[in-house]
Amino acid sequence: MSNINLIIPERAANIGNFLVGRLLPFRQKRMLGPFIFIDHMGPVQLSKREHFDVLPHPHIGLSTLTYLFEGSIMHRDSIGNAVEIKPGAVNWMTAGKGVVHSERTPDYLRKTNQELHGLQIWVALPKEKELIEPSFTHINENELPTWQDKNIHYKLIAGEAFGKQSPVPVHSKLYMLELKCSNNQEVALGEQLYGEVGLYILQGGIKTENQHFGEKQLLIAKDTKLCSFIMEADSVVYLFGGEAFLEERYIDWNFVSSSKSRIEEAIKKWKAQDFPKIEGETEFVPYPDRKL
């Protein structure tokens, strides 16, 4: 019997002036452990006349994780942070009861051509932490746990796995792992993982149960303990997962909550521009009056 429960292909989604490949949410799988939203951004070539500009917008009830492969993004938020995100680093922002942030091409790159490529992720907060104060943490690439096993190079981007812990201050039991290999290699991870698990193929391909899967697919396992596959040479895959919440989560635009009424309150608050402001920013993204 196959251990593959669901195959989710990337689907094009428009986030304003930018197209991304959306993995979650999916009509048959709204969440993966606490992960509720995963976008594959790029790769895209931006000319000196094109910029990545996501205007100030709000969040509640979640943490955002930005992880770049190429390019650079300037993050600014209503807590007072202004940090440049570079490849390999982790930007982790917990919205809690409410935060506003913008993401833009840094000023010093706005007259040059550049490539932008990465992952943008939302992690839902546990019910008892949905109204915590907003916070922000930037983790440099050299602070993340890395190790080698046979031909596989591992990086623990967030959470706990393999007896290791990432310095990213997550709020629930989860993991996000990067696996890279130079040669064909069998990988058996079931005993190291827990909860739900999804495998995203960024580059190359994998073989499992006499089937081949290529780039831009997210495979959801039926049983985490049976998670095993063969990575092809020069492949890059990401594992997302962790313990699922007991309560349902609702999502509307940039808002996530276990309470529909709390989302409605956030919508009214944003329409009235009653969220905290980002210093130096006057523009904002209006509520689109449609659900995600």
Side-chain angles (χ1 to χ4, degrees):
M1 182 180 293
S2 173
N3 190 42
I4 299 172
N5 187 47
L6 186 64
I7 302 168
I8 302 176
E10 281 191 20
R11 293 145 290 134
N14 195 324
I15 60 169
N17 62 344
F18 205 75
L19 279 175
V20 297
R22 181 144 301 158
L23 295 161
L24 284 181
F26 187 62
R27 62 183 179 275
Q28 294 169 263
K29 187 65 176 173
R30 305 301 297 176
M31 294 180 68
L32 181 58
F35 292 87
I36 195 166
F37 181 97
I38 304 175
D39 268 357
H40 176 208
M41 177 177 59
V44 64
Q45 295 284 343
L46 299 176
S47 74
K48 59 186 177 181
R49 294 179 298 277
E50 298 173 304
H51 306 119
F52 180 78
D53 281 315
V54 180
L55 302 182
H57 58 281
H59 292 289
I60 66 165
L62 57 84
S63 296
T64 63
L65 189 160
T66 303
Y67 186 76
L68 295 181
F69 311 129
E70 296 179 88
S72 180
I73 294 175
M74 191 67 191
H75 163 99
R76 293 185 176 86
D77 62 46
S78 55
I79 314 169
N81 298 288
V83 178
E84 183 179 356
I85 314 169
K86 294 185 176 182
V90 177
N91 246 38
W92 177 264
M93 182 184 71
T94 295
K97 65 181 185 181
V99 75
V100 176
H101 75 136
S102 65
E103 299 160 293
R104 299 178 182 272
T105 299
D107 289 343
Y108 75 95
L109 293 175
R110 296 180 85 85
K111 294 183 180 180
T112 63
N113 299 333
Q114 64 165 318
E115 186 165 306
L116 192 61
H117 190 198
L119 294 170
Q120 293 202 307
I121 296 162
W122 297 354
V123 181
L125 289 169
K127 186 176 182 179
E128 68 274 12
K129 295 187 177 182
E130 288 184 322
L131 294 178
I132 61 175
E133 292 293 326
S135 61
F136 173 85
T137 304
H138 181 83
I139 304 295
N140 293 317
E141 182 177 17
N142 61 8
E143 299 176 73
L144 298 173
T146 60
W147 65 98
Q148 188 92 11
D149 184 16
K150 298 178 181 177
N151 292 318
I152 307 293
H153 181 270
Y154 294 84
K155 180 187 291 184
L156 181 59
I157 296 171
E160 298 178 52
F162 291 84
K164 305 178 189 299
Q165 183 168 350
S166 165
V168 176
V170 301
H171 297 280
S172 59
K173 288 280 288 182
L174 63 87
Y175 46 84
M176 176 180 170
L177 286 155
E178 176 187 82
L179 281 66
K180 294 182 176 181
C181 70
S182 55
N183 302 302
N184 288 4
Q185 180 65 54
E186 185 174 0
V187 186
L189 302 177
E191 294 304 315
Q192 303 290 342
L193 305 177
Y194 51 88
E196 299 182 315
V197 62
L199 185 154
Y200 172 62
I201 306 165
L202 175 72
Q203 176 181 310
I206 71 161
K207 295 178 182 177
T208 183
E209 301 165 354
N210 297 317
Q211 298 181 76
H212 177 269
F213 299 96
E215 298 173 358
K216 299 185 178 180
Q217 295 185 87
L218 176 65
L219 311 181
I220 310 297
K222 289 180 182 175
D223 186 342
T224 303
K225 298 301 182 187
L226 299 179
C227 184
S228 64
F229 50 92
I230 296 173
M231 283 184 70
E232 297 178 343
D234 301 318
S235 292
V236 182
V237 304
Y238 290 85
L239 295 176
F240 302 92
E243 296 181 355
F245 297 139
L246 296 176
E247 317 88 5
E248 183 178 359
R249 288 299 183 277
Y250 304 103
I251 180 170
D252 189 317
W253 192 42
N254 298 315
F255 304 129
V256 169
S257 180
S258 59
S259 165
K260 288 184 177 181
S261 62
R262 194 172 295 145
I263 287 178
E264 291 301 320
E265 290 170 8
I267 293 170
K268 292 177 182 177
K269 190 175 177 181
W270 182 248
K271 287 182 174 180
Q273 281 299 285
D274 197 25
F275 268 75
K277 301 294 191 293
I278 302 172
E279 185 176 353
E281 296 260 21
T282 57
E283 299 175 289
F284 64 91
V285 180
Y287 177 73
D289 284 313
R290 61 171 178 77
K291 293 193 174 183
L292 191 68

